[in-house]
Amino acid sequence: DAGVIQSPRHEVTEMGQEVTLRCKPISGHNSLFWYRQTMMRGLELLIYFNNNVPIDDSGMPEDRFSAKMPNASFSTLKIQPSEPRDSAVYFCASTMTVNTEAFFGQGTRLTVV
Amino acid sequence: DAKTTQPPSMDCAEGRAANLPCNHSTISGNEYVYWYRQIHSQGPQYIIHGLKNNETNEMASLIITEDRKSSTLILPHATLRDTAVYYCIVPSYNAGNMLTFGGGTRLMVKP
């Protein structure tokens, strides 16, 4: 397996534009997590899916952020409209079951200018 | 998550053992201790996890105290490539075992 795949690796966009980040978890994994990392706030858990269902989205900062998981092999994180303070590295991770290790993607570095 | 406390930074000489401590005094009986590390600009990488017994794999050893209130990650022969931020995490069973990251320990391995 190629691991957790995120796209794009880098994204530069203008304030107010819509941004969509994509994640393909490892095949057979049942849980998927989206994280955001900044120097100021570290690694923050945004949302967690189990069997394609959002379980906890309490970390999603605002209504401008939304995440979907239409099937077991694909998830998106959308920001609309984007703001400069959304600039960060966004990571996706997947796990097979509870109490097993999480595998992280390489991240998407988002810059909003 | 059960709160974890780690020193913000540590140094280690190359080739020596690196011992990274973690306190998790509020851990519950069914909660595991996980260790991850993040090398600059990369996604976090799983290292090891355990419940009660000490664990060892090709990367590291995990020593958990008998009362489970603290643990130590041991890198037996640290190399320059082990320079990273190391995170000790205790996912809460009641919170769906979500992984939430604290500040971690920034380990600097020096020649």
Side-chain angles (χ1 to χ4, degrees):
Chain A
D1 200 312
V4 176
I5 299 173
Q6 292 186 245
S7 64
R9 291 294 308 277
H10 302 274
E11 176 81 30
V12 180
T13 191
E14 292 185 347
M15 181 174 62
Q17 296 298 306
E18 176 180 297
V19 176
T20 299
L21 311 182
R22 297 172 174 79
C23 176
K24 181 180 187 306
I26 292 173
S27 177
H29 281 195
N30 296 324
S31 298
L32 183 140
F33 307 80
W34 281 100
Y35 290 86
R36 176 174 69 176
Q37 186 170 34
T38 61
M39 288 292 292
M40 291 294 293
R41 301 175 69 89
L43 265 168
E44 300 174 278
L45 177 62
L46 300 178
I47 188 169
Y48 155 50
F49 291 87
N50 192 44
N51 292 322
N52 311 337
V53 176
I55 302 300
D56 190 320
D57 65 354
S58 59
M60 296 285 264
E62 301 172 30
D63 291 345
R64 298 184 296 105
F65 286 69
S66 63
K68 295 182 179 179
M69 192 164 186
N71 57 62
S73 59
F74 184 64
S75 177
T76 60
L77 178 67
K78 185 177 295 186
I79 308 172
Q80 167 63 21
S82 58
E83 296 183 3
R85 59 191 169 125
D86 302 330
S87 297
V89 180
Y90 291 81
F91 289 104
C92 175
S94 69
T95 67
M96 183 178 294
T97 63
V98 296
N99 291 328
T100 60
E101 63 267 35
F103 293 84
F104 284 76
Q106 288 300 301
T108 295
R109 181 174 296 277
L110 173 66
T111 303
V112 183
V113 297
Chain B
D1 287 357
K3 180 178 173 58
T4 61
T5 305
Q6 298 178 255
S9 64
M10 292 181 63
D11 290 344
C12 177
E14 186 179 20
R16 304 298 293 270
N19 297 289
L20 293 92
C22 179
N23 288 323
H24 31 79
S25 58
T26 59
I27 193 170
S28 297
N30 58 357
E31 293 175 338
Y32 284 72
V33 181
Y34 281 77
W35 284 83
Y36 286 77
R37 73 179 182 183
Q38 187 174 25
I39 296 171
H40 182 61
S41 300
Q42 298 181 18
Q45 176 191 23
Y46 165 81
I47 301 173
I48 199 167
H49 74 285
L51 182 63
K52 294 181 181 179
N53 299 322
N54 298 336
E55 302 287 345
T56 296
N57 63 21
E58 64 279 5
M59 291 182 68
S61 295
L62 174 60
I63 308 299
I64 304 173
T65 59
E66 191 170 344
D67 63 7
R68 303 210 324 122
K69 294 185 177 182
S70 66
S71 61
T72 300
L73 179 75
I74 301 172
L75 308 178
H77 306 287
T79 70
L80 298 179
R81 289 177 297 179
D82 292 322
T83 293
V85 178
Y86 287 77
Y87 297 97
C88 169
I89 304 169
V90 178
S92 171
Y93 181 80
N94 292 331
N97 284 296
M98 295 185 298
L99 285 174
T100 55
F101 289 76
T105 296
R106 184 173 298 276
L107 176 68
M108 178 73 71
V109 180
K110 299 183 175 181

